[in-house]
Amino acid sequence: MTIGSRNSWADWASCIPPLTHTTTREPSPDPAATATRLARADLAGPYMLYETGDGVWHFAAGPAASLTADATTVTAHCAGHTWTSPTGGQPLAAFADALSALRPTGGHPRHYYGWAAFELAHLLHADPAAAGDRPLLHALVPSLEVTLTDRGTTIRAVDETWTRKIADLLTEPAIAHSAQDAPAPVGRDTAETTIATGTTAYGHAVSRTVADIRTGLLEKAVLSRKVPLPDGRRPDFPATYLAGRRANTPARSYLLDLGGYRAAGFSPETVLEVAADGRLSTQPLAGTRALGGDPVENGRLRAELLSDPKEIHEHAVSVRLAWDEVAAVCRPGSVAVEEFMTVKPRGSVQHLASRVAGRLRPECGPWDAFASLFPAITATGVSKRAALQALARHERGPRELYGGAMFRGGTDGELDAALVLRTLLGSGEEVWLRAGAGITPQSDPEREIEETCEKLRSIAPHLRFNQP
């Protein structure tokens, strides 16, 4: 079935079964472990676990409906039916139009979960041809949603069978892996060898990017390097997520098998947070030093971070552009920098962090804000257009999800999107890590290489592999 106008998305939305069955239970003493257990249970095919910043874990599974957009077409599925519509070269707008057809159920907002690939940025800011022909956006409207908080566990599903099944699963005692079956942790030497992959080529790319900046082509670029995992090793994504979450202090975390990708990640920052009342905020992080087990050394590095001209300049540039992007969709006079250059611990590193906030204009919705802020300035550079062109010259291959976003949104106007960094990624038989650093005129290749290594240590030591 093909549709040709936004109003026709109502046919798709009306096909989606409501979450009419709800049950509540006592709070989980270990929500990260409980959410991971739900992911491992293989309940209903595609799933996504998303931890928000207020200590709440959301688990969504079973595609009541799905929505996918590439550069030319939006495709929706529900109950064995397919709807398609041309994007007119604006996949994000077409994607948002389809989602706007969703309606609340049972007095509760209807939620959707998904991802945005970094290559969407080329359609928003640079060369549309560079976006490629792979999906750029994907969303799941779940048949089952479990929310874990310190006040209780809420289960919502399309039928009572699912609520009973989840309640029974949560009642059963957790069964620990035997030593023989437990996922194997990566050794320290293996982790460090993996982290060091491709550093020489990356150093050369840093030098070329610095030359671009000094000739005036751009002000800053966030240059990244891909780190493939050794052939033949099969990572256990849920076990990696749980081990990594124990060791990290992320702004957001996520675990998913959705839309052709698997991921386990610990995002240090959000692309944007939109509340139902129209409050918008974003949290740019730029400027990095290592964070280890020695408090004295951590303090020394913190002081160094706060006084380093290169790091301060990089951070200030990011905050300046974040202000402009927030102001583009917010009411005049409402934009403010609520934090400036605080230091946030994020696993194996500490970052300079700021928060820019405002109130959305009446005519702007959460996806208008997403269009203004995506991709995060801290994953691209300044200007975004020039930085994207530099990344196309100096990085090898597409980023795919890296530097993109994981998101959770709702019919009440909320949208929470995490920047995809510090993430184990998989697609087909390929599994990889990726990390980057902000390149400015003052950048030294050796220091930028070390910064990528520091960031990779937020996840590489916590990889867990299935036994051969």
Side-chain angles (χ1 to χ4, degrees):
M1 181 183 301
T2 300
I3 65 177
S5 70
R6 74 169 61 185
N7 292 333
S8 300
W9 287 117
D11 297 334
W12 168 67
S14 66
C15 182
I16 302 172
L19 301 181
T20 53
H21 295 268
T22 302
T23 186
T24 58
R25 299 180 57 81
E26 65 279 359
S28 168
D30 189 344
T34 300
T36 305
R37 187 177 169 198
L38 292 172
R40 192 181 287 284
D42 193 23
L43 293 164
Y47 71 84
M48 183 168 179
L49 182 165
Y50 190 86
E51 178 196 3
T52 55
D54 48 0
V56 177
W57 273 259
H58 302 277
F59 176 79
S66 65
L67 189 68
T68 305
D70 59 25
T72 62
T73 306
V74 176
T75 303
H77 297 283
C78 180
H81 299 286
T82 299
W83 291 258
T84 64
S85 178
T87 66
Q90 298 182 313
L92 182 56
F95 188 77
D97 282 344
L99 290 173
S100 70
L102 296 175
R103 293 291 177 263
T105 62
H108 298 280
R110 191 64 189 257
H111 295 113
Y112 51 85
Y113 297 75
W115 50 256
F118 181 81
E119 280 64 42
L120 175 64
H122 293 291
L123 281 162
L124 295 174
H125 303 288
D127 177 13
D133 57 4
R134 293 178 61 108
L136 301 172
L137 294 147
H138 184 84
L140 163 78
V141 184
S143 297
L144 163 70
E145 189 172 22
V146 181
T147 301
L148 302 154
T149 76
D150 59 3
R151 298 180 302 278
T153 301
T154 302
I155 307 166
R156 299 179 63 218
V158 297
D159 60 51
E160 190 176 2
T161 301
W162 277 114
T163 55
R164 287 201 305 266
K165 185 173 183 177
I166 296 301
D168 291 345
L169 180 65
L170 295 179
T171 301
E172 295 173 0
I175 301 174
H177 289 282
S178 69
Q180 182 177 357
D181 297 331
V186 66
R188 176 168 180 166
D189 290 344
T190 300
E192 287 300 312
T193 300
T194 300
I195 285 169
T197 302
T199 53
T200 300
Y202 182 74
H204 293 325
V206 170
S207 296
R208 293 193 298 271
T209 305
V210 170
D212 285 351
I213 294 170
R214 290 177 178 174
T215 58
L217 292 178
L218 69 161
E219 193 170 346
K220 171 188 171 182
V222 182
L223 190 68
S224 69
R225 61 185 179 94
K226 186 175 182 178
V227 181
L229 295 195
D231 292 339
R233 302 297 300 272
R234 295 183 300 111
D236 183 317
F237 279 80
T240 295
Y241 171 80
L242 188 57
R245 183 60 187 85
R246 300 286 197 222
N248 274 282
T249 49
R252 300 290 186 271
S253 71
Y254 40 80
L255 172 67
L256 64 90
D257 188 341
L258 181 66
Y261 287 102
R262 291 158 289 150
F266 320 102
S267 176
E269 63 184 280
T270 55
V271 179
L272 82 167
E273 302 160 47
V274 181
D277 63 2
R279 172 182 160 82
L280 163 67
S281 72
T282 186
Q283 185 189 50
L285 270 64
T288 306
R289 285 295 185 274
L291 183 67
D294 183 344
V296 174
E297 177 64 5
N298 289 339
R300 185 190 71 78
L301 290 172
R302 183 181 189 276
E304 182 180 286
L305 177 61
L306 286 165
S307 61
D308 187 302
K310 183 264 181 185
E311 305 287 12
I312 293 171
H313 174 260
E314 179 186 349
H315 187 80
V317 166
S318 298
V319 174
R320 185 194 72 206
L321 187 58
W323 174 288
D324 292 342
E325 292 175 340
V326 169
V329 291
C330 283
R331 298 176 183 180
S334 71
V335 181
V337 177
E338 296 184 341
E339 299 175 353
F340 184 65
M341 273 185 37
T342 59
V343 178
K344 298 287 186 182
R346 293 290 186 254
S348 61
V349 292
Q350 48 191 324
H351 291 293
L352 294 179
S354 295
R355 182 172 292 279
V356 183
R359 291 278 173 180
L360 285 176
R361 296 176 183 175
E363 69 273 19
C364 291
W367 287 102
D368 297 301
F370 188 90
S372 183
L373 286 156
F374 184 88
I377 184 61
T378 50
T380 47
V382 182
S383 69
K384 280 188 178 179
R385 178 182 177 83
L388 286 165
Q389 292 169 339
L391 298 181
R393 289 192 298 272
H394 303 309
E395 290 188 348
R396 298 180 179 179
R399 287 185 171 186
E400 300 180 72
L401 292 193
Y402 176 83
M406 303 292 184
F407 58 78
R408 177 181 187 265
T411 54
D412 56 356
E414 290 188 353
L415 180 62
D416 193 284
L419 176 57
V420 180
L421 303 175
R422 321 294 152 77
T423 299
L424 171 66
L425 291 161
S427 179
E429 296 299 314
E430 187 181 12
V431 186
W432 67 96
L433 306 174
R434 194 161 191 146
I439 312 304
T440 70
Q442 300 84 20
S443 286
D444 171 67
E446 289 303 316
R447 170 57 202 152
E448 305 304 351
I449 289 170
E450 180 54 30
E451 181 171 322
T452 65
C453 292
E454 291 167 355
K455 292 172 177 176
L456 288 166
R457 292 186 186 106
S458 288
I459 185 165
H462 313 300
L463 295 173
R464 296 295 185 269
F465 292 96
N466 294 309
Q467 298 287 4

